[in-house]
Short mmCIF file of all heavy atoms in Angstrom, two decimals:
data_model
loop_
_atom_site.label_atom_id
_atom_site.label_comp_id
_atom_site.label_asym_id
_atom_site.label_seq_id
_atom_site.Cartn_x
_atom_site.Cartn_y
_atom_site.Cartn_z
N PHE A 1484 8.13 -2.15 15.66
CA PHE A 1484 8.63 -2.28 14.24
C PHE A 1484 7.85 -1.36 13.25
O PHE A 1484 6.58 -1.33 13.29
CB PHE A 1484 8.53 -3.75 13.83
CG PHE A 1484 8.98 -3.94 12.37
CD1 PHE A 1484 10.30 -4.09 12.07
CD2 PHE A 1484 8.07 -4.00 11.33
CE1 PHE A 1484 10.69 -4.28 10.70
CE2 PHE A 1484 8.43 -4.17 9.98
CZ PHE A 1484 9.75 -4.31 9.74
N LYS A 1485 8.56 -0.74 12.42
CA LYS A 1485 7.96 0.12 11.40
C LYS A 1485 8.21 -0.50 10.03
O LYS A 1485 9.26 -0.78 9.65
CB LYS A 1485 8.53 1.55 11.44
CG LYS A 1485 8.41 2.31 12.75
CD LYS A 1485 6.99 2.47 13.07
CE LYS A 1485 6.73 3.19 14.45
NZ LYS A 1485 5.31 3.36 14.76
N GLN A 1486 7.10 -0.68 9.28
CA GLN A 1486 7.08 -1.34 7.98
C GLN A 1486 7.78 -0.34 6.98
O GLN A 1486 7.61 0.75 6.97
CB GLN A 1486 5.73 -1.62 7.54
CG GLN A 1486 5.58 -2.24 6.09
CD GLN A 1486 6.48 -3.51 5.88
OE1 GLN A 1486 6.38 -4.39 6.81
NE2 GLN A 1486 7.24 -3.60 4.94
N ASP A 1487 8.57 -0.89 6.02
CA ASP A 1487 9.18 -0.17 4.96
C ASP A 1487 8.11 0.50 4.02
O ASP A 1487 6.92 0.07 3.99
CB ASP A 1487 10.03 -1.10 4.06
CG ASP A 1487 11.32 -1.38 4.69
OD1 ASP A 1487 11.69 -0.71 5.76
OD2 ASP A 1487 12.08 -2.29 4.20
N ALA A 1488 8.49 1.49 3.31
CA ALA A 1488 7.63 2.12 2.32
C ALA A 1488 7.38 1.07 1.25
O ALA A 1488 8.05 0.14 0.96
CB ALA A 1488 8.25 3.34 1.79
N HIS A 1489 6.27 1.39 0.47
CA HIS A 1489 5.78 0.59 -0.67
C HIS A 1489 5.23 -0.76 -0.39
O HIS A 1489 5.06 -1.55 -1.30
CB HIS A 1489 6.95 0.55 -1.71
CG HIS A 1489 7.72 1.72 -1.99
ND1 HIS A 1489 7.07 2.89 -2.44
CD2 HIS A 1489 8.94 2.11 -1.79
CE1 HIS A 1489 7.97 3.83 -2.60
NE2 HIS A 1489 9.13 3.44 -2.15
N LYS A 1490 4.93 -1.11 0.87
CA LYS A 1490 4.25 -2.30 1.21
C LYS A 1490 3.00 -1.96 2.01
O LYS A 1490 3.05 -1.59 3.16
CB LYS A 1490 5.17 -3.20 2.04
CG LYS A 1490 4.62 -4.56 2.40
CD LYS A 1490 4.52 -5.50 1.15
CE LYS A 1490 3.90 -6.79 1.50
NZ LYS A 1490 4.86 -7.74 2.17
N LEU A 1491 1.82 -1.97 1.34
CA LEU A 1491 0.54 -1.56 1.91
C LEU A 1491 0.77 -0.32 2.71
O LEU A 1491 0.18 -0.14 3.78
CB LEU A 1491 0.03 -2.70 2.78
CG LEU A 1491 -0.50 -3.98 2.13
CD1 LEU A 1491 -0.86 -5.04 3.00
CD2 LEU A 1491 -1.79 -3.62 1.27
N GLU A 1492 1.39 0.68 2.03
CA GLU A 1492 1.63 1.92 2.67
C GLU A 1492 0.43 2.88 2.42
O GLU A 1492 0.24 3.33 1.30
CB GLU A 1492 2.91 2.63 2.19
CG GLU A 1492 3.29 3.99 2.75
CD GLU A 1492 4.46 4.52 2.11
OE1 GLU A 1492 5.03 4.02 1.18
OE2 GLU A 1492 4.82 5.79 2.47
N GLU A 1493 -0.37 3.26 3.44
CA GLU A 1493 -1.53 3.97 3.31
C GLU A 1493 -1.19 5.57 3.45
O GLU A 1493 -0.32 5.89 4.34
CB GLU A 1493 -2.51 3.69 4.35
CG GLU A 1493 -3.11 2.28 4.20
CD GLU A 1493 -4.22 1.97 5.25
OE1 GLU A 1493 -4.42 2.82 6.20
OE2 GLU A 1493 -4.87 0.95 5.14
N PHE A 1494 -1.80 6.46 2.71
CA PHE A 1494 -1.69 7.79 2.87
C PHE A 1494 -2.95 8.45 2.26
O PHE A 1494 -3.68 7.80 1.53
CB PHE A 1494 -0.40 8.31 2.16
CG PHE A 1494 -0.36 8.10 0.70
CD1 PHE A 1494 -0.64 9.17 -0.22
CD2 PHE A 1494 0.04 6.92 0.20
CE1 PHE A 1494 -0.55 9.02 -1.64
CE2 PHE A 1494 0.16 6.69 -1.25
CZ PHE A 1494 -0.24 7.74 -2.08
N LYS A 1495 -3.19 9.75 2.66
CA LYS A 1495 -4.39 10.45 2.10
C LYS A 1495 -3.99 11.73 1.40
O LYS A 1495 -2.96 12.29 1.70
CB LYS A 1495 -5.31 10.74 3.25
CG LYS A 1495 -6.00 9.52 3.88
CD LYS A 1495 -7.17 9.91 4.80
CE LYS A 1495 -7.89 8.67 5.33
NZ LYS A 1495 -9.03 8.91 6.21
N ASP A 1496 -4.78 12.08 0.43
CA ASP A 1496 -4.47 13.28 -0.40
C ASP A 1496 -5.19 14.49 0.26
O ASP A 1496 -5.85 14.38 1.26
CB ASP A 1496 -4.80 13.02 -1.89
CG ASP A 1496 -6.31 12.85 -2.09
OD1 ASP A 1496 -7.09 13.17 -1.17
OD2 ASP A 1496 -6.60 12.28 -3.17
N ALA A 1497 -5.11 15.58 -0.45
CA ALA A 1497 -5.73 16.78 0.02
C ALA A 1497 -7.23 16.75 0.16
O ALA A 1497 -7.96 17.50 0.86
CB ALA A 1497 -5.23 18.01 -0.84
N LYS A 1498 -7.77 15.77 -0.59
CA LYS A 1498 -9.24 15.56 -0.55
C LYS A 1498 -9.75 14.53 0.37
O LYS A 1498 -10.87 14.09 0.38
CB LYS A 1498 -9.75 15.16 -1.98
CG LYS A 1498 -9.44 16.24 -3.08
CD LYS A 1498 -9.73 15.73 -4.46
CE LYS A 1498 -9.24 16.77 -5.60
NZ LYS A 1498 -9.50 16.14 -6.96
N ASN A 1499 -8.77 14.00 1.15
CA ASN A 1499 -9.00 12.98 2.17
C ASN A 1499 -9.38 11.66 1.57
O ASN A 1499 -9.93 10.74 2.20
CB ASN A 1499 -10.14 13.34 3.11
CG ASN A 1499 -9.91 12.75 4.51
OD1 ASN A 1499 -8.84 12.62 5.00
ND2 ASN A 1499 -11.03 12.37 5.09
N LYS A 1500 -8.88 11.40 0.34
CA LYS A 1500 -9.11 10.12 -0.33
C LYS A 1500 -8.00 9.07 0.18
O LYS A 1500 -6.74 9.61 0.32
CB LYS A 1500 -9.05 10.15 -1.86
CG LYS A 1500 -10.24 10.80 -2.46
CD LYS A 1500 -10.05 11.20 -3.83
CE LYS A 1500 -9.92 10.09 -4.76
NZ LYS A 1500 -9.94 10.54 -6.25
N LEU A 1501 -8.33 7.89 0.46
CA LEU A 1501 -7.41 6.85 0.84
C LEU A 1501 -6.59 6.27 -0.26
O LEU A 1501 -7.28 5.63 -1.16
CB LEU A 1501 -8.04 5.80 1.71
CG LEU A 1501 -7.16 4.63 2.22
CD1 LEU A 1501 -6.11 5.17 3.13
CD2 LEU A 1501 -8.07 3.63 2.92
N TRP A 1502 -5.27 6.35 -0.36
CA TRP A 1502 -4.45 5.75 -1.28
C TRP A 1502 -3.50 4.72 -0.66
O TRP A 1502 -3.22 4.87 0.48
CB TRP A 1502 -3.61 6.86 -2.03
CG TRP A 1502 -4.39 7.85 -2.83
CD1 TRP A 1502 -5.02 8.91 -2.31
CD2 TRP A 1502 -4.55 7.85 -4.22
NE1 TRP A 1502 -5.67 9.61 -3.33
CE2 TRP A 1502 -5.47 8.99 -4.54
CE3 TRP A 1502 -4.27 7.05 -5.28
CZ2 TRP A 1502 -5.90 9.38 -5.77
CZ3 TRP A 1502 -4.76 7.33 -6.56
CH2 TRP A 1502 -5.48 8.46 -6.80
N VAL A 1503 -3.17 3.64 -1.40
CA VAL A 1503 -2.29 2.69 -0.93
C VAL A 1503 -1.20 2.39 -1.91
O VAL A 1503 -1.42 2.02 -3.03
CB VAL A 1503 -3.08 1.42 -0.59
CG1 VAL A 1503 -2.11 0.27 -0.11
CG2 VAL A 1503 -4.15 1.63 0.46
N ASP A 1504 0.09 2.52 -1.49
CA ASP A 1504 1.21 2.25 -2.30
C ASP A 1504 1.66 0.82 -1.94
O ASP A 1504 2.27 0.64 -0.85
CB ASP A 1504 2.32 3.26 -2.01
CG ASP A 1504 3.63 2.85 -2.70
OD1 ASP A 1504 3.62 1.85 -3.45
OD2 ASP A 1504 4.68 3.46 -2.39
N ASP A 1505 1.32 -0.13 -2.72
CA ASP A 1505 1.77 -1.50 -2.48
C ASP A 1505 2.54 -1.99 -3.68
O ASP A 1505 2.47 -3.09 -4.23
CB ASP A 1505 0.57 -2.42 -2.38
CG ASP A 1505 0.88 -3.76 -1.81
OD1 ASP A 1505 1.70 -3.86 -0.92
OD2 ASP A 1505 0.22 -4.83 -2.24
N SER A 1506 3.53 -1.07 -4.04
CA SER A 1506 4.34 -1.34 -5.26
C SER A 1506 5.18 -2.55 -5.11
O SER A 1506 5.63 -3.17 -6.12
CB SER A 1506 5.26 -0.17 -5.57
OG SER A 1506 6.01 -0.37 -6.69
N LYS A 1507 5.45 -2.93 -3.89
CA LYS A 1507 6.32 -4.09 -3.54
C LYS A 1507 5.56 -5.45 -3.88
O LYS A 1507 6.13 -6.52 -3.87
CB LYS A 1507 6.78 -4.15 -2.18
CG LYS A 1507 7.95 -5.06 -1.97
CD LYS A 1507 8.51 -5.00 -0.63
CE LYS A 1507 9.84 -5.95 -0.51
NZ LYS A 1507 10.32 -6.00 0.88
N ALA A 1508 4.25 -5.28 -4.24
CA ALA A 1508 3.53 -6.54 -4.64
C ALA A 1508 3.93 -6.93 -6.03
O ALA A 1508 3.27 -6.55 -7.02
CB ALA A 1508 2.01 -6.22 -4.51
N THR A 1509 5.01 -7.60 -6.16
CA THR A 1509 5.58 -7.98 -7.49
C THR A 1509 5.11 -9.33 -8.06
O THR A 1509 5.55 -9.81 -9.03
CB THR A 1509 7.08 -7.97 -7.49
OG1 THR A 1509 7.58 -8.81 -6.51
CG2 THR A 1509 7.58 -6.47 -7.20
N ASN A 1510 4.19 -10.01 -7.30
CA ASN A 1510 3.64 -11.20 -7.70
C ASN A 1510 2.14 -11.31 -7.36
O ASN A 1510 1.63 -10.57 -6.60
CB ASN A 1510 4.37 -12.50 -7.18
CG ASN A 1510 4.46 -12.44 -5.70
OD1 ASN A 1510 3.42 -12.58 -4.98
ND2 ASN A 1510 5.64 -12.28 -5.10
N ILE A 1511 1.52 -12.28 -7.91
CA ILE A 1511 0.00 -12.40 -7.72
C ILE A 1511 -0.36 -12.63 -6.27
O ILE A 1511 -1.37 -11.94 -5.78
CB ILE A 1511 -0.52 -13.54 -8.62
CG1 ILE A 1511 -0.46 -13.03 -10.09
CG2 ILE A 1511 -2.02 -13.91 -8.21
CD1 ILE A 1511 -0.83 -14.20 -11.10
N ASP A 1512 0.33 -13.48 -5.57
CA ASP A 1512 -0.06 -13.77 -4.17
C ASP A 1512 0.01 -12.55 -3.29
O ASP A 1512 -0.82 -12.38 -2.45
CB ASP A 1512 0.91 -14.86 -3.68
CG ASP A 1512 0.41 -15.49 -2.42
OD1 ASP A 1512 -0.75 -16.02 -2.40
OD2 ASP A 1512 1.18 -15.52 -1.39
N ALA A 1513 0.93 -11.68 -3.51
CA ALA A 1513 1.04 -10.51 -2.79
C ALA A 1513 -0.14 -9.55 -3.01
O ALA A 1513 -0.66 -8.96 -2.01
CB ALA A 1513 2.36 -9.68 -3.13
N THR A 1514 -0.57 -9.42 -4.25
CA THR A 1514 -1.66 -8.60 -4.56
C THR A 1514 -3.02 -9.22 -3.95
O THR A 1514 -3.85 -8.48 -3.38
CB THR A 1514 -1.78 -8.41 -6.09
OG1 THR A 1514 -0.73 -7.71 -6.54
CG2 THR A 1514 -3.09 -7.65 -6.49
N ILE A 1515 -3.11 -10.53 -4.03
CA ILE A 1515 -4.27 -11.17 -3.43
C ILE A 1515 -4.42 -10.89 -1.86
O ILE A 1515 -5.45 -10.63 -1.40
CB ILE A 1515 -4.29 -12.67 -3.70
CG1 ILE A 1515 -4.61 -12.95 -5.16
CG2 ILE A 1515 -5.27 -13.54 -2.84
CD1 ILE A 1515 -4.43 -14.44 -5.59
N ASN A 1516 -3.25 -10.97 -1.28
CA ASN A 1516 -3.14 -10.64 0.13
C ASN A 1516 -3.56 -9.19 0.43
O ASN A 1516 -4.25 -8.92 1.38
CB ASN A 1516 -1.86 -10.92 0.71
CG ASN A 1516 -1.59 -12.46 0.94
OD1 ASN A 1516 -2.49 -13.21 1.04
ND2 ASN A 1516 -0.32 -12.92 0.79
N ALA A 1517 -3.17 -8.30 -0.47
CA ALA A 1517 -3.57 -6.89 -0.31
C ALA A 1517 -4.93 -6.63 -0.47
O ALA A 1517 -5.56 -5.86 0.28
CB ALA A 1517 -2.68 -5.99 -1.31
N LEU A 1518 -5.58 -7.31 -1.43
CA LEU A 1518 -7.04 -7.20 -1.69
C LEU A 1518 -7.83 -7.55 -0.43
O LEU A 1518 -8.84 -6.90 -0.06
CB LEU A 1518 -7.46 -8.05 -2.89
CG LEU A 1518 -7.00 -7.54 -4.20
CD1 LEU A 1518 -7.21 -8.63 -5.26
CD2 LEU A 1518 -7.69 -6.24 -4.65
#
């Protein structure tokens, strides 16, 4: 199974920094789980 985009989706930029697109966290509980 492959997770959809925007849910704890990790990617790195040209400087190798770790970014996370968790835009689907539309409520507090989702963000707490992401943290």
Side-chain angles (χ1 to χ4, degrees):
F1484 178 80
K1485 299 299 181 184
Q1486 177 59 45
D1487 282 348
H1489 312 301
K1490 182 72 182 284
L1491 286 174
E1492 180 186 0
E1493 295 184 350
F1494 62 100
K1495 290 191 174 182
D1496 63 19
K1498 301 172 187 175
N1499 207 38
K1500 289 165 69 172
L1501 176 62
W1502 297 80
V1503 178
D1504 172 10
D1505 193 36
S1506 182
K1507 198 174 181 184
T1509 57
N1510 57 64
I1511 287 172
D1512 195 54
T1514 296
I1515 288 174
N1516 287 332
L1518 289 168

